Amino acid sequence: MANVISDEMIEYVGILAKLELSDEEKEQAKQDMGRMLDYIDQLNELDTSGVEPMSHVFPVENVFREDVVTNGDDRDEMLANAPESKDGAFKVPKTVE
């Protein structure tokens, strides 16, 4: 394990993450973080010079539909469901004095 994680670093990460770790959990976190950093070092050894950068593994296209109004402007039908209406609008109780 080339990446040695210190106790101070684990303590600092615990503070940042607002975690209270027991001694066993700190030791396990040191080992886990060391393995993660070793794996990142292993990935950095790969030759990626011919690989284009990408933001997603699969090609992503805009899947949004066209924004088309389908119900139109049928004010009378909408106001038919209102308990009260006035001048073509919903009438609600006054909330601010």
Side-chain angles (χ1 to χ4, degrees), residues 5-91:
I5 308 297
S6 66
D7 291 334
E8 293 81 22
M9 186 179 293
I10 293 296
E11 195 70 36
Y12 181 67
V13 170
I15 291 169
L16 290 177
K18 298 185 179 184
L19 296 174
E20 292 184 21
L21 301 173
S22 67
D23 291 337
E24 296 83 27
E25 291 171 327
K26 288 179 186 177
E27 194 59 41
Q28 184 63 45
K30 277 175 48 175
Q31 293 174 7
D32 291 343
M33 288 177 73
R35 282 196 298 269
M36 285 186 259
L37 292 175
D38 287 342
Y39 185 68
I40 291 170
D41 287 343
Q42 185 180 359
L43 291 176
N44 284 333
E45 293 173 5
L46 295 174
D47 179 24
T48 58
S49 57
V51 179
E52 287 187 39
M54 64 176 117
S55 61
H56 201 278
V57 178
F58 301 107
V60 177
E61 298 176 17
N62 187 354
V63 294
F64 296 117
R65 63 175 168 75
E66 192 67 30
D67 190 14
V68 179
V69 177
T70 57
N71 63 348
D73 185 24
D74 196 2
R75 182 183 305 187
D76 295 330
E77 204 173 297
M78 287 186 267
L79 289 174
N81 294 322
E84 288 186 64
S85 63
K86 180 180 178 183
D87 298 329
F90 292 99
K91 183 176 178 184

